[in-house]
Amino acid sequence: MGLWNGKAMADRFAAYIGELTKVVGHADRAGPLRDYCSGLLVTEGRRSAEPMAAVTAPARVSAQHQKLLHFAANSTWSDEEMLTKVRELVRPALERHGPIQAWIIDDTSFPKKGRHSVGVHHQYCGQLGKQANCQVAVTLSIANHHGSLPIAYQLYLPRDWTDDKARRAEAHVPGAIRFKTKPQMALEQIRGALKAGVARGVLLMDASYGTNSPLRLAITELGLCYVAAIISTVKVRPMSKDDPNSRRVSVATLARRLPKHAWRTITWREGSNAKLRSRFARVRVCAAPMHGQTRFGEETLLIEWPKDEAAPTKFWLTNVDRDMSFAALVDLAKLRWRIERDYQELKQEIGIGHYEGRTWRGFHHHGTLSIAAYGFLISERERIPPSAPRRAPAIEKLALPSGYRPRGAPDPATAPRPQLDRHDPALPGRCDCHHTATMPVLHAAPVTE
């Protein structure tokens, strides 16, 4: 039997679910866990509870629907314990080609209608590229050049929600949840990962997090390194032997003052059609302290200015070893593209944004199970020998039974994938993606029990 034989993969899936079953508590949750994860993997179109029930148990859709709903919305198993188990199971596959190199901070959004789903608020929606009604989840991922996996996932709750007792009660928001900014939530996830003994990596973040100087300072105080994208108006003081009392200037101004010999063309990765390369400079600086903070030590400012652009397009501040090679630093900064691929596949291949319930527990259980299903796909993809092409067959989706039409909203049109961020100065640090590797087939028959 070959590596991609359907039965072999099904057996691996059963073993994977068997390990996850150890953290859901009661033995009677094993079936719903298996059905929910397999439904996320093989259902064609929208992966909410009813379509998944129709695919996994076509002879008893109503009973299966209620079982899946209960498992996601009401079962009291721990999201943290489940994500820990997924990390333990998937990390060996990620490290098969090398150690964990980075932790990636980010958030992802899910457009929603109405106002009752937990955390829904009119705010910036990255999926739509504008202000809209949506939910936003903050995540922390582990990554290397061969793969990545979210290891923490929590809904951002705006003040309109944290301060509204009636809405909190209706959505069953735990009493311990208080308002935190997204950077504060990210820092909490980082501390949790350190406490759990997760293999350390350099923190990578886009400008919405990297520009936050208290977050960078807190990361430094935890003994971690970062490569943090920042906006062009951040002020720094160049560290110059010739001018030790140099004045603070914006990083955009500093970039324009650099001599021609400061710039180097560096290639960081093979893209789908060509090598990805651009022009970069790096300068030792001291970032300006804010709000009475302790003065920052010296950092390296990394700047990208493609030759065909009228102005620099990206800026990063980093506290990594100053002796790190220029090419290695650029390669590390650009590794952030991994999170964009995760979000795209979690949404399009798994349906992490398809949950239709309204409660805090349901939102997080669905997200956790989506990450668990995604973890199995990562493990399968990483089974490909290093010498083989890094592609695998597409996921085999199962259509709904003939004549069946689920209730609820139709599957939204797939949002277009963001263009390479090097072509869009308006999206600092957002995406350095190349063609996504196709995911492996899961030959799964409907579960009939």
Side-chain angles (χ1 to χ4, degrees):
M1 294 185 179
L3 178 64
W4 298 106
N5 178 273
K7 183 179 185 305
M9 182 179 285
D11 288 345
R12 291 193 293 271
F13 178 70
Y16 180 79
I17 293 299
E19 289 297 313
L20 298 184
T21 299
K22 296 177 181 179
V23 299
V24 293
H26 302 297
D28 58 2
R29 294 175 183 166
L33 170 63
R34 179 198 63 224
D35 294 356
Y36 207 101
C37 288
S38 61
L40 290 169
L41 289 167
V42 303
T43 302
E44 183 178 40
R46 191 164 187 84
R47 269 82 75 196
S48 55
E50 191 174 0
M52 291 196 299
V55 166
T56 57
R60 47 183 183 82
V61 176
S62 180
Q64 180 76 335
H65 181 206
Q66 291 303 313
K67 183 186 292 187
L68 297 181
L69 279 180
H70 176 79
F71 184 66
N74 301 318
S75 292
T76 57
W77 50 271
S78 166
D79 292 290
E80 183 178 356
E81 290 179 9
M82 179 68 77
L83 289 174
T84 297
K85 177 60 72 172
V86 171
R87 186 186 78 236
E88 292 172 354
L89 295 173
V90 178
R91 181 181 152 191
L94 288 177
E95 294 184 326
R96 184 167 179 264
H97 304 290
I100 297 301
Q101 295 166 291
W103 291 3
I104 307 176
I105 299 168
D106 213 331
D107 55 68
T108 189
S109 55
F110 311 108
K112 291 286 181 179
K113 295 181 179 179
R115 64 182 298 273
H116 297 290
S117 293
V118 63
V120 163
H121 189 65
H122 192 76
Q123 56 194 320
Y124 181 75
C125 179
Q127 183 170 323
L128 301 179
K130 63 180 182 180
Q131 294 283 323
N133 237 35
C134 65
Q135 295 167 305
V136 177
V138 176
T139 65
L140 175 65
S141 296
I142 54 175
N144 58 22
H145 280 88
H146 298 277
S148 53
L149 174 75
I151 62 170
Y153 176 88
Q154 185 171 333
L155 179 68
Y156 166 69
L157 211 59
R159 285 192 186 276
D160 281 3
W161 272 88
T162 56
D163 296 344
D164 190 328
K165 292 183 180 179
R167 294 178 87 188
R168 288 178 64 113
E170 186 178 0
H172 303 292
V173 177
I177 298 299
R178 295 290 183 266
F179 175 76
K180 290 186 178 70
T181 65
K182 294 170 194 173
Q184 287 171 339
M185 291 174 64
L187 183 59
E188 195 171 80
Q189 291 177 348
I190 292 166
R191 286 173 172 153
L194 286 174
K195 185 177 180 180
V198 177
R200 294 191 177 200
V202 177
L203 265 297
L204 308 181
M205 60 197 95
D206 70 9
S208 62
Y209 292 87
T211 301
N212 187 288
S213 57
L215 176 60
R216 299 199 317 274
L217 184 61
I219 291 171
T220 302
E221 290 173 345
L222 289 172
L224 296 171
C225 293
Y226 57 79
V227 179
I230 57 173
I231 59 175
S232 62
T233 55
V234 170
K235 290 188 175 182
V236 297
R237 183 167 62 86
M239 305 302 293
S240 170
K241 292 181 181 179
D242 298 330
D243 185 9
N245 298 313
S246 58
R247 300 178 64 181
R248 295 188 300 121
V249 295
S250 72
V251 292
T253 298
L254 176 57
R256 290 182 177 276
R257 291 178 180 176
L258 293 177
K260 186 175 181 179
H261 65 78
W263 299 93
R264 282 181 52 189
T265 298
I266 294 177
T267 299
W268 66 90
R269 193 176 67 252
E270 290 283 347
S272 56
N273 299 315
K275 291 182 178 179
L276 300 180
R277 60 167 56 94
S278 189
R279 192 174 59 153
F280 296 88
R282 58 177 175 174
V283 188
R284 294 296 290 177
V285 300
C286 181
M290 295 177 62
H291 308 302
Q293 296 170 15
T294 303
R295 181 178 178 271
F296 273 94
E298 286 189 33
E299 298 172 281
T300 296
L301 171 66
L302 176 65
I303 310 162
E304 180 178 1
W305 190 346
K307 288 185 178 180
D308 58 351
E309 295 288 348
T313 56
K314 292 188 186 64
F315 307 87
W316 296 266
L317 282 172
T318 176
N319 65 346
V320 299
D321 188 340
R322 63 185 301 175
D323 293 328
M324 178 181 287
S325 74
F326 203 164
L329 177 57
V330 169
D331 181 68
L332 190 57
K334 292 294 185 177
L335 185 57
R336 221 199 116 264
W337 74 272
R338 281 285 171 191
I339 192 65
E340 300 291 347
R341 192 201 64 176
D342 282 345
Y343 288 158
Q344 184 197 37
E345 292 179 348
L346 278 163
K347 290 178 180 181
Q348 296 182 7
E349 302 291 344
I350 303 296
I352 193 171
H354 292 179
Y355 185 66
E356 295 176 352
R358 296 177 174 179
T359 66
W360 176 272
R361 178 178 291 159
F363 175 89
H364 287 92
H365 275 6
H366 177 82
T368 295
L369 294 169
S370 296
I371 293 170
Y374 184 56
F376 176 72
L377 293 184
I378 292 172
S379 297
E380 288 299 305
R381 183 175 56 209
E382 293 305 312
R383 294 176 68 88
I384 304 172
S387 59
R390 295 293 295 164
R391 293 192 182 191
I395 300 173
E396 182 178 334
K397 299 294 185 182
L398 300 181
L400 297 174
S402 178
Y404 175 79
R405 293 292 181 271
R407 295 168 293 177
D411 193 29
T414 300
R417 189 171 187 178
Q419 296 296 311
L420 296 180
D421 68 347
R422 60 194 176 96
H423 298 311
D424 188 356
L427 297 173
R430 266 292 167 193
C431 182
D432 292 295
C433 313
H434 66 289
H435 189 273
T436 302
T438 313
M439 305 303 282
V441 170
L442 178 67
H443 296 287
V447 178
T448 56
E449 276 191 339

